[in-house]
Amino acid sequence: MMKPNLVFLTIDSLRADKCHESNRKTKTPNLDSIVKKGTYFSQAISTADQTGTSLATLFTGIFPTTSGKSQFNFTSEVPTYFDILKQNGYQMNSFIPDHEFFISLTSNFDKNIIYEFKNKEKWLRLQGGLGDQIIQQLRENKTKSPWVYYIHLMDIRAPFLVPTEFNKDENGENNYEKLVSYIDTWIGKFSENINFDETLFVLSSDHGEYIPFVEGGINGNKKIEKTITEVTKKIPFLEKAGMKMLLNARFAKQTYEKEKLKRTSTPYQMRSLNSRSTLFLYDELIRVPLLFVGHNTKNNSSVLNMVRHADVFPTIMDILKISSGETSIDGQSLYPLIQGENITEKPAYIEVGVNLAQLIDKKTPDTESKVIGIRTSDYKYFRSREDNLKLLHLYDLKNDPLEENNIAELKPDIVKKLEQILIDFMNRRDKNKSSTLTDEEIKKAKETLLKLGYI
């Protein structure tokens, strides 16, 4: 019997609440139709608000507290579930951006199509030819079973450029939502070229995103922005002091603009002006869609249990009936939930990503993420990595789903319980974990952050 194929699609920055929830303003008829054919997890939590760290967990089933693998220390030597699939006779194909993480991840694939995203205003997007290339590959793969096709899309990225025909109020209240509606049309086109009887289709995201309530957000002084853009092209030659000065000037201008907006805006609106990879881990940053459709899945099933990125590939291997031989992972198979059975919920480890300001000076992997935490179905807890009494946040997710009321001081017993879970995670150490980033790794990290806009 022929093994089922696998199409695995991750859509950069796609929030769960914008693609398949009753109160959304986006138009996603194609995704809605596909969800009816499979199992959708509405409470899937990514490990981080940054691509490499979250996907490192997804593709290994291991949190960074155990593996030490994240945005900038993920190499081709890191074992992933893709390696297991290849060992089981799968032809490996990918369609990925030219990000060091993705290149390392797919270095032993049989065929990789790598697209450029360095110039975000001009890069090719789905409508510019990338979508047609994906469809062509899906059609060609049909004669070469069993195969894996991994796709990562970057269309939902600031500055949120919306194709003209989708720039209408009916497609969303803001450009982010309009882009989700636009991508939905391509999901429909992809699905037309997938035989769900022979193929398992999995859709998820790396992380969520802030959606500024002020269209375009706050970028600071245009002259400062232009200077940063120009000089960052020469980042390897910049002096640390010069870059720090520019970043500080930008931060000062943004702070001034925010102070003016505070007079007429709610705290919830104001936090939408934040940047990822700073000091917060709200659900708009880490709650992502997760969908399993096709081979060996259940039709029209919605699962409310909280699940994690680390659980995704153990589930895939279970569905495909492939033994991974791995016993020391953090993830667990969700296949019993797909079958309508119960499993014990496991807490999700979460952490913020890294921004450029942190990499001006060399850091160790242990100190790169400033904030770490734990999420369960009932509570969200996060705090400073360096000091468990600083930046302390606790939210009651059942009674305060928007995380507007920090109750850390009111619930010390809950804080203590979740802190112990966090300590247990932090005490897991892999002996292969590097103690510092090399100069070359720092250089690549800076260049990657500049490409992605983490400045």
Side-chain angles (χ1 to χ4, degrees), residues 191-259:
S191 67
E192 291 173 359
N193 290 276
I194 297 174
N195 184 335
F196 290 111
D197 292 329
E198 300 176 356
T199 306
L200 173 64
F201 174 63
V202 182
L203 181 150
S204 192
S205 176
D206 48 358
H207 52 71
E209 184 60 276
Y210 286 117
I211 305 173
F213 80 100
V214 177
E215 193 65 59
I218 297 179
N219 292 318
N221 184 280
K222 289 185 178 180
K223 187 175 293 186
I224 296 173
E225 294 301 309
K226 183 179 180 181
T227 303
I228 290 177
T229 301
E230 290 175 351
V231 299
T232 51
K233 294 176 182 178
K234 303 176 183 178
I235 183 67
F237 310 104
L238 283 179
E239 292 185 2
K240 295 176 183 178
M243 178 54 85
K244 285 182 178 179
M245 181 179 68
L246 287 169
L247 293 174
N248 287 338
R250 184 193 200 211
F251 178 75
K253 180 61 177 177
Q254 290 176 329
T255 301
Y256 172 72
E257 295 295 333
K258 286 182 180 180
E259 287 300 318

Side-chain angles (χ1 to χ4, degrees), residues 345-362:
E345 177 186 292
K346 291 187 176 183
Y349 168 80
I350 52 179
E351 66 176 47
V352 301
V354 180
N355 59 47
L356 181 61
Q358 291 174 259
L359 286 174
I360 297 300
D361 298 309
K362 188 180 296 187

Side-chain angles (χ1 to χ4, degrees), residues 48-230:
D49 63 351
Q50 193 168 59
T51 303
T53 302
S54 64
L55 294 187
T57 296
L58 192 154
F59 293 121
T60 64
I62 305 173
F63 291 122
T65 48
T66 303
S67 68
K69 306 306 176 187
S70 58
Q71 180 88 4
F72 304 117
N73 55 0
F74 189 97
T75 68
S76 57
E77 285 74 37
V78 177
T80 71
Y81 280 98
F82 284 145
D83 297 318
I84 297 172
L85 288 168
K86 185 167 187 177
Q87 291 164 9
N88 278 267
Y90 279 78
Q91 183 194 62
M92 308 300 294
N93 310 273
S94 78
F95 189 91
I96 55 171
D98 60 347
H99 181 317
E100 286 293 330
F101 173 86
F102 291 103
I103 293 172
S104 293
L105 174 69
T106 61
S107 61
N108 67 343
F109 276 33
D110 299 293
K111 182 177 181 180
N112 295 316
I113 296 179
I114 302 173
Y115 62 93
E116 182 180 358
F117 69 94
K118 292 178 181 178
N119 187 333
K120 291 188 292 184
E121 284 74 16
K122 295 182 179 179
W123 76 33
L124 279 180
R125 296 170 185 251
L126 286 169
Q127 191 169 353
L130 298 187
D132 290 335
Q133 289 185 54
I134 292 171
I135 291 172
Q136 180 181 352
Q137 293 303 307
L138 285 169
R139 290 173 177 169
E140 289 180 358
N141 283 337
K142 288 182 178 179
T143 60
K144 302 174 183 178
S145 296
W147 46 261
V148 170
Y149 191 17
Y150 172 56
I151 307 163
H152 186 83
L153 301 180
M154 299 284 289
D155 285 63
I156 309 180
R157 296 283 307 194
F160 303 130
L161 302 178
V162 182
T164 303
E165 64 270 34
F166 281 86
N167 198 10
K168 302 174 183 177
D169 292 342
E170 64 189 55
N171 292 319
E173 293 183 338
N174 51 62
N175 286 352
Y176 179 101
E177 292 178 348
K178 292 170 185 176
L179 280 172
V180 175
S181 299
Y182 151 70
I183 281 184
D184 179 73
T185 64
W186 283 99
I187 291 175
K189 294 175 183 178
F190 298 158
S191 67
E192 291 173 359
N193 290 276
I194 297 174
N195 184 335
F196 290 111
D197 292 329
E198 300 176 356
T199 306
L200 173 64
F201 174 63
V202 182
L203 181 150
S204 192
S205 176
D206 48 358
H207 52 71
E209 184 60 276
Y210 286 117
I211 305 173
F213 80 100
V214 177
E215 193 65 59
I218 297 179
N219 292 318
N221 184 280
K222 289 185 178 180
K223 187 175 293 186
I224 296 173
E225 294 301 309
K226 183 179 180 181
T227 303
I228 290 177
T229 301
E230 290 175 351

Side-chain angles (χ1 to χ4, degrees), residues 41-52:
F41 292 83
S42 61
Q43 296 293 324
I45 305 301
S46 70
T47 299
D49 63 351
Q50 193 168 59
T51 303

Side-chain angles (χ1 to χ4, degrees), residues 231-401:
V231 299
T232 51
K233 294 176 182 178
K234 303 176 183 178
I235 183 67
F237 310 104
L238 283 179
E239 292 185 2
K240 295 176 183 178
M243 178 54 85
K244 285 182 178 179
M245 181 179 68
L246 287 169
L247 293 174
N248 287 338
R250 184 193 200 211
F251 178 75
K253 180 61 177 177
Q254 290 176 329
T255 301
Y256 172 72
E257 295 295 333
K258 286 182 180 180
E259 287 300 318
K260 290 197 299 183
L261 284 170
K262 279 183 181 179
R263 302 169 191 169
T264 57
S265 309
T266 67
Y268 184 78
Q269 287 176 317
M270 289 304 302
R271 89 181 191 204
S272 75
L273 301 175
N274 291 342
S275 299
R276 286 187 289 110
S277 300
T278 52
L279 301 176
F280 304 101
L281 283 165
Y282 299 118
D283 264 11
E284 52 259 49
L285 302 182
I286 60 171
R287 190 162 72 89
V288 296
L290 178 59
L291 172 66
F292 294 84
V293 184
H295 179 82
N296 255 358
T297 61
K298 193 173 181 180
N299 292 345
N300 202 21
S301 175
S302 180
V303 179
L304 301 178
N305 302 56
M306 189 205 76
V307 300
R308 305 142 332 146
H309 260 169
D311 302 325
V312 174
F313 263 88
T315 307
I316 291 173
M317 305 305 279
D318 214 353
I319 293 173
L320 300 183
K321 300 187 184 305
I322 295 175
S323 174
S324 66
E326 178 61 68
T327 59
S328 59
I329 60 171
D330 293 310
Q332 64 176 339
S333 174
L334 307 177
Y335 192 51
L337 291 175
I338 292 175
Q339 295 297 96
E341 303 171 8
N342 293 319
I343 62 174
T344 301
E345 177 186 292
K346 291 187 176 183
Y349 168 80
I350 52 179
E351 66 176 47
V352 301
V354 180
N355 59 47
L356 181 61
Q358 291 174 259
L359 286 174
I360 297 300
D361 298 309
K362 188 180 296 187
K363 300 288 184 180
T364 66
D366 278 341
T367 59
E368 282 178 2
S369 60
K370 289 185 176 180
V371 173
I372 57 177
I374 295 292
R375 191 195 191 278
T376 69
S377 56
D378 295 322
Y379 291 99
K380 165 84 65 61
Y381 169 67
F382 57 90
R383 48 88 164 171
S384 165
R385 176 187 287 270
E386 301 294 333
D387 188 334
N388 63 4
L389 298 180
K390 292 182 179 179
L391 303 175
L392 202 61
H393 287 255
L394 177 69
Y395 296 98
D396 181 342
L397 300 177
K398 298 293 186 183
N399 298 305
D400 178 27

